[in-house]
Coordinates of all heavy atoms in Angstrom, one line a residue:
Chain A
K559 N 55.6 -67.3 39.2 CA 55.1 -68.4 38.4 C 53.7 -68.1 37.9 O 53.3 -68.0 36.7 CB 55.2 -69.7 39.1 CG 56.4 -70.4 38.6 CD 56.4 -71.9 39.2 CE 57.8 -72.5 38.9 NZ 58.1 -73.7 39.7
P560 N 52.7 -67.9 38.9 CA 51.4 -67.7 38.4 C 51.3 -66.3 37.7 O 50.5 -66.3 36.7 CB 50.6 -67.7 39.7 CG 51.5 -67.5 40.8 CD 52.8 -68.1 40.3
V561 N 52.1 -65.5 38.1 CA 52.1 -64.2 37.4 C 52.5 -64.3 36.0 O 51.9 -63.8 35.1 CB 53.0 -63.2 38.1 CG1 53.3 -62.0 37.3 CG2 52.4 -62.7 39.5
E562 N 53.5 -65.1 35.8 CA 54.0 -65.4 34.4 C 52.9 -66.0 33.6 O 52.6 -65.6 32.4 CB 55.2 -66.2 34.4 CG 56.5 -65.6 34.8 CD 57.6 -66.5 35.1 OE1 57.5 -67.6 34.6 OE2 58.4 -66.2 35.9
E563 N 52.3 -67.0 34.2 CA 51.3 -67.7 33.5 C 50.2 -66.7 33.1 O 49.7 -66.7 32.0 CB 50.7 -68.8 34.3 CG 51.6 -70.0 34.4 CD 51.1 -71.0 35.4 OE1 50.0 -70.7 36.1 OE2 51.7 -72.0 35.7
D564 N 49.9 -65.9 34.0 CA 48.9 -64.9 33.7 C 49.3 -64.0 32.5 O 48.6 -63.7 31.7 CB 48.7 -64.0 34.9 CG 48.0 -64.7 36.1 OD1 47.4 -65.8 35.8 OD2 48.0 -64.2 37.1
E565 N 50.6 -63.7 32.7 CA 51.1 -62.8 31.6 C 51.1 -63.5 30.3 O 50.7 -62.8 29.3 CB 52.5 -62.4 31.9 CG 52.6 -61.4 33.1 CD 54.0 -61.4 33.8 OE1 54.9 -61.9 33.2 OE2 54.0 -60.9 34.9
E566 N 51.4 -64.7 30.3 CA 51.4 -65.4 29.0 C 50.0 -65.4 28.4 O 49.8 -65.1 27.3 CB 51.8 -66.9 29.2 CG 53.3 -67.0 29.5 CD 53.7 -68.3 30.2 OE1 52.7 -69.1 30.3 OE2 54.8 -68.4 30.6
K567 N 49.1 -65.7 29.3 CA 47.7 -65.8 28.8 C 47.3 -64.5 28.3 O 46.7 -64.3 27.3 CB 46.8 -66.3 29.9 CG 46.9 -67.8 30.2 CD 46.5 -68.2 31.5 CE 47.0 -69.6 31.9 NZ 46.9 -69.9 33.3
E568 N 47.6 -63.6 29.0 CA 47.3 -62.2 28.6 C 47.9 -61.8 27.3 O 47.3 -61.2 26.4 CB 47.7 -61.2 29.7 CG 46.7 -61.1 30.9 CD 47.1 -60.0 31.9 OE1 46.8 -58.9 31.7 OE2 47.8 -60.4 32.9
S569 N 49.1 -62.2 27.2 CA 49.8 -61.8 26.0 C 49.2 -62.6 24.8 O 49.1 -62.0 23.6 CB 51.3 -62.2 26.0 OG 51.5 -63.6 26.1
E570 N 48.7 -63.7 25.1 CA 48.1 -64.5 24.0 C 46.9 -63.7 23.5 O 46.5 -63.6 22.4 CB 47.6 -65.8 24.4 CG 48.7 -66.8 24.4 CD 48.3 -68.2 24.8 OE1 47.0 -68.4 25.1 OE2 49.1 -69.1 24.9
R571 N 46.2 -63.2 24.4 CA 44.9 -62.6 24.1 C 45.0 -61.1 23.6 O 44.2 -60.8 22.8 CB 44.0 -62.6 25.4 CG 43.4 -64.0 25.6 CD 42.6 -64.0 26.8 NE 42.4 -65.4 27.2 CZ 43.2 -66.1 28.0 NH1 44.3 -65.5 28.4 NH2 43.0 -67.3 28.3
S572 N 46.0 -60.5 24.1 CA 46.0 -59.1 23.8 C 46.3 -58.8 22.3 O 47.2 -59.4 21.8 CB 47.0 -58.3 24.6 OG 48.3 -58.8 24.4
D573 N 45.5 -58.0 21.7 CA 45.8 -57.7 20.3 C 46.7 -56.6 20.2 O 47.7 -56.6 19.5 CB 44.4 -57.3 19.7 CG 43.5 -58.5 19.6 OD1 44.0 -59.6 19.5 OD2 42.3 -58.2 19.8
S574 N 46.5 -55.7 21.0 CA 47.5 -54.5 21.0 C 48.6 -54.8 21.9 O 48.5 -55.6 22.8 CB 46.7 -53.3 21.4 OG 46.2 -53.5 22.7
G575 N 49.7 -54.1 21.7 CA 50.9 -54.4 22.5 C 50.6 -53.9 23.9 O 50.1 -52.9 24.2
L576 N 50.9 -54.8 24.8 CA 50.8 -54.4 26.2 C 52.1 -53.8 26.6 O 53.2 -54.3 26.4 CB 50.6 -55.6 27.1 CG 49.2 -56.3 27.1 CD1 49.2 -57.6 27.8 CD2 48.2 -55.3 27.7
T577 N 51.9 -52.7 27.3 CA 53.1 -52.1 27.8 C 53.2 -52.6 29.2 O 52.3 -52.9 29.9 CB 53.0 -50.6 27.8 OG1 51.8 -50.3 28.5 CG2 53.0 -50.0 26.4
D578 N 54.5 -52.8 29.6 CA 54.7 -53.5 30.9 C 54.9 -52.5 32.0 O 55.4 -52.8 33.0 CB 55.8 -54.4 30.8 CG 57.0 -53.8 30.2 OD1 56.9 -52.5 30.1 OD2 58.0 -54.5 29.9
R579 N 54.6 -51.4 31.7 CA 54.9 -50.3 32.7 C 54.2 -50.6 34.0 O 54.6 -50.2 35.1 CB 54.7 -49.0 32.2 CG 55.7 -48.7 31.1 CD 55.4 -47.3 30.5 NE 56.0 -47.4 29.1 CZ 57.3 -47.0 28.9 NH1 58.0 -46.7 29.8 NH2 57.8 -47.1 27.7
W580 N 53.0 -51.1 33.9 CA 52.3 -51.2 35.1 C 52.8 -52.4 36.0 O 52.6 -52.5 37.1 CB 50.8 -51.6 34.7 CG 50.6 -52.8 33.9 CD1 50.8 -52.9 32.5 CD2 50.3 -54.1 34.4 NE1 50.5 -54.2 32.1 CE2 50.3 -54.9 33.1 CE3 50.1 -54.7 35.6 CZ2 50.0 -56.3 33.2 CZ3 49.9 -56.0 35.7 CH2 49.8 -56.9 34.5
R581 N 53.6 -53.2 35.4 CA 54.3 -54.2 36.1 C 55.6 -53.7 36.7 O 56.2 -54.3 37.6 CB 54.7 -55.4 35.2 CG 53.4 -56.2 34.8 CD 53.3 -57.3 35.7 NE 52.1 -58.1 35.4 CZ 51.4 -58.9 36.2 NH1 51.8 -59.0 37.4 NH2 50.4 -59.5 35.8
D582 N 56.1 -52.6 36.1 CA 57.4 -52.3 36.5 C 57.6 -51.9 38.0 O 58.5 -52.4 38.6 CB 57.8 -51.0 35.7 CG 58.2 -51.5 34.2 OD1 58.3 -52.7 34.0 OD2 58.3 -50.6 33.4
P583 N 56.8 -51.1 38.4 CA 57.3 -50.5 39.7 C 57.7 -51.5 40.8 O 58.8 -51.3 41.3 CB 56.0 -49.6 40.1 CG 55.3 -49.3 38.8 CD 55.7 -50.5 37.9
P584 N 56.9 -52.4 41.3 CA 57.4 -53.1 42.5 C 58.6 -53.9 42.2 O 59.6 -53.9 43.0 CB 56.2 -54.0 42.9 CG 55.3 -54.1 41.6 CD 55.7 -52.9 40.8
H585 N 58.7 -54.5 41.0 CA 59.8 -55.4 40.8 C 61.0 -54.6 40.4 O 62.2 -55.0 40.8 CB 59.5 -56.4 39.6 CG 58.2 -57.1 39.9 ND1 58.2 -58.1 40.8 CD2 57.0 -57.0 39.3 CE1 56.9 -58.6 40.8 NE2 56.2 -57.9 40.0
A586 N 60.9 -53.6 39.7 CA 62.0 -52.8 39.3 C 62.7 -52.2 40.6 O 63.9 -52.3 40.7 CB 61.5 -51.6 38.5
H587 N 61.9 -51.8 41.5 CA 62.5 -51.2 42.6 C 63.3 -52.3 43.4 O 64.4 -52.1 43.8 CB 61.3 -50.7 43.5 CG 61.8 -49.9 44.7 ND1 62.4 -48.7 44.5 CD2 61.7 -50.2 46.0 CE1 62.7 -48.2 45.6 NE2 62.3 -49.0 46.6
W588 N 62.7 -53.5 43.5 CA 63.4 -54.6 44.2 C 64.7 -55.0 43.5 O 65.8 -55.1 44.1 CB 62.5 -55.7 44.3 CG 63.1 -56.9 45.1 CD1 63.1 -57.1 46.4 CD2 63.8 -58.0 44.5 NE1 63.8 -58.2 46.7 CE2 64.2 -58.9 45.6 CE3 64.0 -58.5 43.2 CZ2 64.8 -60.0 45.3 CZ3 64.7 -59.6 43.0 CH2 65.1 -60.5 44.1
L589 N 64.6 -55.0 42.3 CA 65.8 -55.5 41.5 C 66.9 -54.5 41.5 O 68.1 -54.8 41.7 CB 65.4 -55.8 40.0 CG 64.7 -57.1 39.8 CD1 64.1 -57.2 38.5 CD2 65.6 -58.3 40.0
M590 N 66.5 -53.2 41.5 CA 67.5 -52.2 41.5 C 68.2 -52.2 42.8 O 69.5 -52.1 42.9 CB 66.8 -50.8 41.5 CG 66.2 -50.5 40.1 SD 67.5 -50.4 38.9 CE 66.4 -50.0 37.5
E591 N 67.5 -52.5 43.8 CA 68.2 -52.5 45.2 C 69.1 -53.7 45.2 O 70.2 -53.6 45.7 CB 67.1 -52.7 46.2 CG 66.4 -51.4 46.6 CD 65.4 -51.6 47.6 OE1 65.0 -52.7 47.9 OE2 64.9 -50.5 48.1
Q592 N 68.7 -54.8 44.6 CA 69.6 -56.0 44.5 C 70.9 -55.7 43.8 O 72.0 -56.0 44.2 CB 68.9 -57.1 43.8 CG 67.7 -57.7 44.6 CD 68.0 -58.1 46.0 OE1 69.0 -58.8 46.2 NE2 67.3 -57.5 47.0
L593 N 70.7 -55.0 42.7 CA 71.9 -54.7 41.9 C 72.9 -53.7 42.7 O 74.1 -53.9 42.6 CB 71.5 -54.0 40.6 CG 70.9 -55.0 39.6 CD1 70.1 -54.3 38.5 CD2 72.0 -55.9 39.0
R594 N 72.3 -52.8 43.3 CA 73.1 -51.9 44.1 C 73.9 -52.7 45.2 O 75.0 -52.5 45.5 CB 72.2 -50.8 44.8 CG 71.9 -49.7 43.7 CD 71.5 -48.5 44.4 NE 70.8 -47.6 43.5 CZ 69.4 -47.6 43.3 NH1 68.7 -48.3 44.1 NH2 69.0 -46.9 42.4
A595 N 73.1 -53.6 45.8 CA 73.7 -54.4 46.8 C 74.9 -55.2 46.2 O 75.9 -55.4 46.8 CB 72.7 -55.4 47.4
L596 N 74.7 -55.7 45.1 CA 75.7 -56.5 44.3 C 76.9 -55.6 44.1 O 78.1 -56.1 44.3 CB 75.2 -56.9 43.0 CG 75.1 -58.4 42.6 CD1 74.7 -58.6 41.1 CD2 76.5 -59.1 42.9
Q597 N 76.7 -54.4 43.7 CA 77.8 -53.5 43.5 C 78.6 -53.4 44.7 O 79.9 -53.3 44.7 CB 77.2 -52.2 43.0 CG 78.3 -51.3 42.4 CD 77.7 -50.0 41.9 OE1 76.5 -49.7 42.1 NE2 78.5 -49.1 41.4
E598 N 77.9 -53.2 45.7 CA 78.6 -53.0 47.0 C 79.3 -54.2 47.5 O 80.4 -54.2 48.1 CB 77.6 -52.5 48.1 CG 77.2 -51.0 47.8 CD 75.9 -50.8 48.5 OE1 75.4 -51.6 49.4 OE2 75.3 -49.8 48.2
N599 N 78.7 -55.4 47.3 CA 79.3 -56.7 47.8 C 79.5 -57.6 46.6 O 78.7 -58.4 46.2 CB 78.2 -57.3 48.7 CG 77.8 -56.4 49.8 OD1 78.7 -55.8 50.4 ND2 76.5 -56.4 50.1
P600 N 80.7 -57.4 46.0 CA 81.0 -58.3 44.8 C 81.1 -59.7 45.2 O 81.0 -60.6 44.4 CB 82.3 -57.7 44.3 CG 82.8 -56.8 45.4 CD 81.8 -56.6 46.4
E601 N 81.3 -60.1 46.4 CA 81.5 -61.5 46.8 C 80.3 -62.3 46.5 O 80.4 -63.5 46.2 CB 81.9 -61.6 48.2 CG 83.2 -61.0 48.6 CD 83.0 -59.6 49.0 OE1 82.8 -58.7 48.1 OE2 82.9 -59.2 50.2
S602 N 79.2 -61.7 46.6 CA 77.9 -62.4 46.5 C 77.6 -62.8 45.1 O 76.7 -63.5 44.8 CB 76.7 -61.6 47.1 OG 76.7 -60.4 46.4
R603 N 78.4 -62.3 44.2 CA 78.2 -62.6 42.8 C 78.3 -64.1 42.4 O 77.7 -64.6 41.6 CB 79.2 -61.8 41.9 CG 78.7 -60.5 41.5 CD 79.7 -59.8 40.6 NE 80.3 -58.6 41.1 CZ 81.4 -58.2 40.8 NH1 82.2 -58.7 39.9 NH2 81.8 -57.0 41.3
S604 N 79.2 -64.6 43.2 CA 79.5 -66.0 42.8 C 78.3 -66.9 43.0 O 78.1 -67.9 42.2 CB 80.6 -66.5 43.7 OG 80.2 -66.4 45.1
Q605 N 77.4 -66.6 43.9 CA 76.2 -67.3 44.0 C 75.3 -67.1 42.9 O 75.0 -65.9 42.5 CB 75.5 -66.9 45.3 CG 76.3 -67.4 46.5 CD 75.4 -67.1 47.8 OE1 74.3 -66.9 47.7 NE2 76.1 -67.2 48.9
S606 N 74.8 -68.2 42.4 CA 73.8 -68.0 41.4 C 72.7 -69.0 41.7 O 72.9 -70.0 42.1 CB 74.5 -68.2 40.0 OG 74.7 -69.5 39.9
S607 N 71.7 -68.5 41.4 CA 70.5 -69.4 41.6 C 69.9 -69.7 40.2 O 68.7 -69.4 40.0 CB 69.5 -68.8 42.6 OG 69.2 -67.5 42.2
L608 N 70.7 -70.1 39.4 CA 70.2 -70.3 38.0 C 69.4 -71.5 38.0 O 69.7 -72.6 38.4 CB 71.5 -70.5 37.1 CG 71.2 -70.1 35.7 CD1 71.0 -68.6 35.6 CD2 72.5 -70.5 34.8

Side-chain angles (χ1 to χ4, degrees):
Chain A
K559 263 189 187 162
V561 165
E562 283 166 26
E563 285 169 0
D564 291 345
E565 287 157 15
E566 285 158 9
K567 284 157 198 167
E568 280 182 84
S569 70
E570 279 181 5
R571 286 180 195 80
S572 64
D573 294 327
S574 57
L576 282 173
T577 52
D578 53 9
R579 292 178 202 270
W580 59 277
R581 288 268 178 203
D582 286 347
H585 305 287
H587 191 64
W588 181 82
L589 283 168
M590 291 300 182
E591 280 180 347
Q592 295 306 309
L593 286 164
R594 281 203 196 92
L596 238 188
Q597 193 180 1
E598 289 159 12
N599 306 316
E601 297 89 281
S602 59
R603 268 187 242 155
S604 59
Q605 287 188 19
S606 72
S607 51
L608 207 65

